[in-house]
Each structure stands twice: as C-alpha cells, then as structure tokens.
Amino acid sequence: SVWNMEDDGFPSHTSDEQKRCETRIQRERNKVVDLNQSLTLSREKHVAFLKKGFQTLSSGYQSLDASRPWLCYWILHSLDLLEDLPSNIGDVVFFLAQCQHPDGGFGGGPGQVPHLAPTYAAVNALLICGTEEAFNVINREKLYAFLLSVKQPDGSYIMHVNGEVDIRGVYCALSVATLLNVMTPALIENTGEWIGRCQSYEGGIGGEPGSEAHGGLSFCGLASLVLANQTQAIDLHRFIDWAVHRQMMMEGGFQGRTNKLVDSCYSFWQGGVYPLLDHLMLSPPPSHSDGDFLYIQRKLQEYILLCCQDISGGLKDKPGKSRDYYHSCYALSGLSSSQNNPRCAATLLGPPSNLLVTLIIPSIHLSQPPIHPVHNIRAVRATAALAHFSKLAPINF
C-alpha cells in the first residue's frame, strides 16, 4: 500500500497510528461509488441522539460532572444548527440558573466555583435558548466583576480564582464580555501582547508562552485578538503558513498539532480560523484557487459525512471511535462553516438536504455563514443578544 505519511524506513508509534487511521478511512471510501450522491447528513438520527442527552446520560459521562453547562451548549448548538431545538427550553434555563455563582460567573454545575470555561458555555447556551427568561438569568454586573477577578496584569486570564493561566480563558472572557455588552479597556489591557508571546516558532498559538502550537488554542488566540481589535500582535503570515498545513491530504479533515491524527472536532477549531483570516487579511482576501477559503471545503465535508457519522446518530472523532456530544457539536459547526463562503455560492457536497441552516442575502445572492465565526453560536442568536444587551442601562464599571 502507498501511505500519505512516509516514515523514511523508521517506523514509529506515530507513523503506525497514522497508517491505521488511513486504512480505516480508505475502507469507508471503498464503500461509496459516488460521493456527491451517497453522502447524506443523517439529520433525524443526530437529532434523536442529541435530544436523548437532555433526558438521560450514561455512566460514562460522570467524568463531565464539572462540565454540565458544556453538555447543554454542545447539545443545544448542534440542535440549533439542525433547526430542531427541544421543547423543554425552560428546563435548560432553570438548570443553568442554578449553575450561576452568587459572586458572578457560572460553575460546572450547581454549587461549583465560577470558572471561565463553563461561564462561556452557559452564556452561549442561554443565548441559544433566546428567551427573555434566559437573558434575564445572567447577572451582568457580577459576571463582569468575576471577569476582572481573573484578569491578570500581564494581559492573561486564569480560569478561576487561584487557577491556571490558559489562552482559552482569554477567549471565554472576551467572548461573553462582547455578547453581554460589558467589554471595557480593562478587560483587554496587555492582552494582545500576551497572546503575541503565545505564538510559537511554527506560527500557530499555544496555551501560554513557550507552549506548542495547537488548533483549538490557535482559534482561541486569533478570535480573542479579533474581539480585542489587536490582531497586529501576531505575525498573521506565519500563522497562515502553519494553519494551511493542518488539513490532512488523504483524510480531508484537520489535525490539531503537527504529526497528530485527524479529529473531527478540529473541523471547527482549525476550520474556524479561515473565515476570521478571510475577514482580516490581505487585499484581495486570501482564497484557495477554486474559490474556497484557504482549505478545501468539500474535502472537509467528505471527511465529516463519510467518516464521522455514527450509524445510530451522533458524530465521532474518526472511524473506530465512539460518538459523543462534544464531537457532534464541533463537527456540525465545522460542517456548517465549510458549506458556506461569503464570497461565493454555498460549497455544498451531497444533496441540498445536507445544507445546515443558512442565511441568504437576496440582493447579492450569496450565503452568509449561519454560525457566528467568533462565538460559535448561530449568527441570529448573537445578533439578538447584542441587540438585547445593548439596550440595557450600562452597568456600573
């Protein structure tokens, strides 16, 4: 067999794992005659799997007891993209209200300490619910105080009081501050400079200065710079050079780091940087030769639809792995992004029913990405939140 990854005669655990992964994917390809006709999105099965998660979870999810707002967000966002939100939105709102800490911010469950990661997840989930009741749950004044309590003088954020520094904390803080209209100069002081120090020799961004470049962390860093209007803090050309090498040639999906395997969650965490770069960079905007963003959009769709859909519903990391709500969320997010390009018609693989919710601008007949490229909720949810919170009286900073 001919492998895309050459081991130069020195096989290793890494090269062996890559070959096994390519073998599984080739098996999936061999089952299909016409990719464009055969690859369909199993909407009904995915919806059933996702809605079941709101009723009961297996014992395997015990390890996520401190991530319960994340489960709400992953499931709600997935269902929103599939245009089939559950009827029990009020129950979700009630539960998330119990996760809000009296001193501000949200914990991973009722009674848990406030933490930036579940704060981001809870806020996004409430905005997806989109009701007045959901908006009113969020105590903006105390949430802002919580954000200040974890902001560090060097521009970084710790994830919780006395917690670790992590670039994900920067993104979570600035995302919710923007959506809730509590962004202030104090929240971004020195932040661009700190993120600049997180750019590695490869060009991508790590979790803190000196760390390895990583797909999810690179998205968090770039999105944070967009929110802070400080994109000049990194070398965007080096960033692009790193990012464009993360799409796997044979698989079509993305890896998160150099010499790692493909993983469907990076369909968003890696694929999500390209709409941001398209907005930021160079005139004319950078594009692939066939009009795509700086990756091959149909190849990513092929990987997700062919290799990541579980036969019983839900999406998974790669063939041989199990379905879960995390990968369902980010595979669908990446699928949605890859189906749309603001500068051309939808780049759709498969039948029209594969197209996730989209917005059409009649005057120019172009599609706009249905998900907000920074916040990863539907654009209509972000717009509604910004409109609602911009009308409220300013909080006492």
Side-chain angles (χ1 to χ4, degrees):
S1 297
V2 177
W3 307 103
N4 280 286
M5 180 176 182
E6 298 294 338
D7 60 22
D8 297 322
F10 295 94
S12 65
H13 176 73
T14 298
S15 62
D16 290 343
E17 282 291 307
Q18 177 63 28
K19 290 178 180 180
R20 280 192 285 271
C21 181
E22 290 182 13
T23 298
R24 293 191 187 100
I25 290 171
Q26 190 58 52
R27 287 192 194 123
E28 297 300 321
R29 287 210 176 114
N30 291 341
K31 299 175 185 177
V32 177
V33 177
D34 185 342
L35 289 173
N36 199 54
Q37 295 299 320
S38 302
L39 296 184
T40 59
L41 180 65
S42 303
R43 287 176 176 269
E44 293 79 9
K45 290 182 178 181
H46 298 328
V47 167
F49 167 70
L50 292 160
K51 287 188 174 180
K52 183 180 178 183
F54 272 139
Q55 305 303 320
T56 181
L57 294 172
S58 69
S59 60
Y61 282 92
Q62 288 180 347
S63 61
L64 293 179
D65 181 64
S67 301
R68 293 166 74 183
W70 279 108
L71 287 163
C72 293
Y73 164 62
W74 295 332
I75 295 173
L76 282 173
H77 181 48
S78 299
L79 288 171
D80 206 16
L81 288 174
L82 294 165
E83 297 185 272
D84 202 336
L85 283 176
S87 58
N88 60 334
I89 287 293
D91 294 339
V92 179
V93 173
F94 177 80
F95 170 74
L96 291 172
Q98 310 311 304
C99 297
Q100 187 166 217
H101 194 273
D103 295 332
F106 291 79
Q112 297 185 25
V113 299
H115 189 289
L116 282 172
T119 294
Y120 165 87
V123 168
N124 271 6
L126 288 166
L127 301 189
I128 293 169
C129 291
T131 62
E132 194 77 16
E133 177 191 16
F135 290 160
N136 290 339
V137 163
I138 304 167
N139 188 322
R140 295 164 65 240
E141 291 81 359
K142 289 188 175 182
L143 189 146
Y144 179 74
F146 167 63
L147 296 182
L148 285 180
S149 74
V150 291
K151 171 70 164 52
Q152 303 301 293
D154 65 356
S156 66
Y157 280 79
I158 52 178
M159 298 301 290
H160 58 91
V161 173
N162 296 323
E164 74 281 11
V165 167
D166 191 319
I167 202 167
R168 288 171 290 193
V170 179
Y171 169 65
C172 291
L174 301 192
S175 177
V176 299
T178 300
L179 287 168
L180 302 179
N181 194 30
V182 297
M183 179 69 86
T184 66
L187 292 179
I188 58 174
E189 185 177 2
N190 298 323
T191 295
E193 291 83 351
W194 184 82
I195 294 174
R197 295 199 297 275
C198 294
Q199 188 170 25
S200 81
Y201 71 94
E202 290 185 277
I205 296 173
E208 58 184 328
S211 294
E212 180 183 13
H214 179 282
L217 304 178
S218 291
F219 173 85
C220 288
L222 183 62
S224 297
L225 292 173
V226 169
L227 291 168
N229 195 26
Q230 297 177 357
T231 53
Q232 74 283 355
I234 62 169
D235 185 331
L236 281 174
H237 293 273
R238 288 178 53 229
F239 184 96
I240 289 173
D241 184 64
W242 176 82
V244 297
H245 288 92
R246 301 283 71 79
Q247 186 171 30
M248 305 295 279
M249 291 186 295
M250 183 270 186
E251 301 91 314
F254 289 100
Q255 62 179 185
R257 290 177 285 163
T258 304
N259 289 332
K260 293 294 184 179
L261 300 180
V262 67
D263 185 330
S264 69
C265 75
Y266 294 114
S267 302
F268 175 77
W269 291 124
Q270 288 282 15
V273 305
Y274 299 101
L276 300 180
L277 291 170
D278 194 69
H279 170 72
L280 288 173
M281 276 292 292
L282 309 178
S283 182
S287 66
H288 191 267
S289 59
D290 60 5
D292 283 355
F293 291 126
L294 283 174
Y295 73 99
I296 305 173
Q297 293 176 232
R298 287 169 64 92
K299 288 293 290 182
L300 177 60
Q301 294 173 57
E302 178 188 320
Y303 174 69
I304 295 169
L305 295 169
L306 178 66
C307 300
C308 301
Q309 296 191 94
D310 190 275
I311 192 170
S312 300
L315 292 101
K316 54 194 175 183
D317 165 353
K318 60 177 69 69
K321 298 291 186 177
S322 299
R323 62 184 179 172
D324 60 62
Y325 299 107
Y326 170 81
H327 285 91
S328 295
C329 172
Y330 291 108
L332 289 172
S333 298
L335 181 64
S336 174
S337 179
S338 68
Q339 290 174 338
N340 292 274
N341 187 321
R343 289 179 287 102
C344 62
T347 326
L348 183 67
L349 178 67
S353 60
N354 281 358
L355 185 63
L356 293 167
V357 60
T358 189
L359 302 174
I360 302 295
I361 304 176
S363 61
I364 55 176
H365 305 290
L366 296 183
S367 64
Q368 289 284 21
I371 58 172
H372 193 287
V374 173
H375 304 293
N376 198 26
I377 56 177
R378 277 181 59 186
V380 293
R381 308 299 181 196
T383 300
L386 291 166
H388 173 84
F389 292 110
S390 66
K391 293 177 183 176
L392 300 184
I395 65 174
N396 184 11
F397 296 126

